[in-house]
Amino acid sequence: LQLLHQAGRATAILGLLQKFWPLDRIVLTLFARYARAEEMKFRTMMTEKLLRRLELPDLRPDMEGLCDSGSSLADMSSICHAQKRLNTKEGMMFDELAKTGGLLIAAGAETTASLLSGVTYHLLMNPSVLAKLTGEVRNAFKTESEINMTSVDNLEYLLAVLNEALRIFPPVPDNLNRITPKEGCMIAGHYLPGKKYVAINQWAAPHSSANFTRPYEFIPERWMGDAEFMKDKRRVVNPFSVGPRNCLGRNLANVEMRVILARMILNLDMELCEESRGWLEANRIYLLFEDKPPLIVKLTPAIRA
């Protein structure tokens, strides 16, 4: 996580410096040696983790509890246990496997955790929403074993809560840039010349009153057809981006956040501690939410009949 946050900060700063030539070249030259050292730390960590995974004798799935053996979700277990084909023409080379593993670690280490932190904070700041969600989850499930990737899709209010969390607390709250084709193109009725950066800011657009009614309020009902929010432009919310470059882990992230939140609500009564009021405003953004302050929550085992 520390390496990932450092990379996020560097990406944000170097991206801004591109507007100030030749300052960007100077800073990049000075930064290169440090960046290479940090990259090598990550590569070494990834190689060590992958070697340990390859040495495991059992056939356990990496995502046990989230999906069953018939799931189409890919994980490292199906790759790692095809070791007979490793470094052959029919299989993957070790370097390819390491790069794939690095992508899974980097993408899976931060964003889902950020979303779950954000939704927890907003639920605790909105007791009526938390009470409604708690009722839905505890009426639907009696034991944790009943909560899986299929059953959580029947929780209409939980899905609305997570959609609202993705709107109000997007895990990547910055720009996801694209470059226009060299011949230029039309976007939203306007011609843009070629090779220009374009983006929709993932924080600003969902918080604009031009797109949403009461945009700074956490209201899951806006995703459930409530008449007050019929004019909301819900298509604006694209936390996983769009098109062929959208997030490869979107389906896995959706499964993780739904299952984890449902299990939290089933098993725990939660109360926000006083020192974490104002937690949202204390967050800083460098491409990602960097070094989120501790979210202090009192947890009490739920008493169920």
Side-chain angles (χ1 to χ4, degrees):
L1 277 177
Q2 184 180 9
L3 291 172
L4 186 61
H5 285 303
Q6 289 172 347
R9 175 176 282 209
T11 300
I13 293 174
L14 292 173
L16 290 172
L17 285 175
Q18 285 185 336
K19 303 178 185 296
F20 300 97
W21 186 91
L23 183 60
D24 60 329
R25 300 298 177 188
I26 297 171
V27 173
L28 190 59
T29 300
L30 296 173
F31 181 74
R33 181 177 297 179
Y34 169 79
R36 175 63 66 180
E38 294 302 305
E39 180 186 0
M40 291 309 298
K41 284 183 186 178
F42 181 80
R43 287 179 180 272
T44 300
M45 179 193 72
M46 183 59 244
T47 300
E48 291 173 351
K49 285 182 176 291
L50 182 56
L51 287 172
R52 287 200 301 270
R53 182 66 186 87
L54 287 168
E55 291 170 359
L56 288 179
D58 64 310
L59 296 176
R60 65 158 177 83
D62 290 316
M63 299 187 296
E64 188 172 10
L66 291 181
C67 54
D68 56 36
S69 59
S71 170
S72 61
L73 283 171
D75 66 3
M76 290 297 288
S77 57
S78 59
I79 300 171
C80 290
H81 288 287
Q83 293 188 50
K84 292 181 180 179
R85 298 197 305 272
L86 192 62
N87 293 325
T88 67
K89 290 182 179 180
E90 295 77 21
M92 294 180 72
M93 304 302 289
F94 183 85
D95 286 346
E96 292 177 316
L97 199 57
K99 290 178 180 178
T100 300
L103 180 63
L104 292 173
I105 285 179
E110 218 297 319
T111 49
T112 303
S114 276
L115 189 280
L116 289 168
S117 298
V119 72
T120 300
Y121 175 78
H122 282 288
L123 284 170
L124 297 182
M125 291 295 292
N126 294 272
S128 62
V129 176
L130 177 59
K132 187 172 180 178
L133 177 62
T134 301
E136 180 185 59
V137 171
R138 295 182 186 176
N139 285 330
F141 304 115
K142 300 305 178 185
T143 65
E144 187 176 307
S145 62
E146 297 177 274
I147 300 175
N148 56 51
M149 64 179 293
T150 302
S151 61
V152 290
D153 284 347
N154 297 319
L155 302 179
E156 183 181 9
Y157 198 66
L158 182 136
L159 299 181
V161 164
L162 287 170
N163 281 331
E164 182 69 343
L166 287 166
R167 180 192 72 81
I168 205 167
F169 196 84
V172 185
D174 207 324
N175 292 339
L176 298 172
N177 294 326
R178 299 291 185 269
I179 303 176
T180 58
K182 61 182 180 180
E183 66 273 15
C185 63
M186 298 292 292
I187 297 179
H190 299 277
Y191 174 77
L192 293 179
K195 296 185 178 181
K196 300 298 180 182
Y197 288 101
V198 294
I200 295 175
N201 187 273
Q202 296 289 314
W203 178 269
H207 286 81
S208 171
S209 58
N211 295 323
F212 289 94
T213 303
R214 296 153 61 189
Y216 283 87
E217 297 182 39
F218 187 75
I219 309 173
E221 285 75 12
R222 73 173 76 246
W223 299 91
M224 302 177 69
D226 190 292
E228 181 182 357
F229 307 102
M230 293 302 292
K231 294 184 179 180
D232 281 3
K233 300 174 183 176
R234 294 186 293 178
R235 291 182 60 191
V236 166
V237 179
N238 286 291
F240 297 98
S241 192
V242 294
R245 294 282 184 173
N246 70 350
C247 177
L248 290 170
R250 177 175 184 164
N251 290 337
L252 174 58
N254 278 324
V255 169
E256 288 180 327
M257 65 181 70
R258 293 171 187 179
V259 170
I260 292 171
L261 181 59
R263 290 180 177 179
M264 287 171 56
I265 296 297
L266 179 69
N267 290 314
L268 300 166
D269 292 328
M270 298 182 287
E271 180 183 349
L272 187 67
C273 294
E274 196 61 34
E275 57 265 43
S276 281
R277 294 191 179 276
W279 176 85
L280 179 63
E281 292 75 13
N283 279 275
R284 294 181 299 172
I285 296 171
Y286 285 95
L287 184 63
L288 306 170
F289 286 104
E290 183 186 76
D291 296 333
K292 290 181 291 298
L295 181 60
I296 311 298
V297 178
K298 179 182 178 182
L299 305 176
T300 306
I303 299 175
R304 300 190 300 274

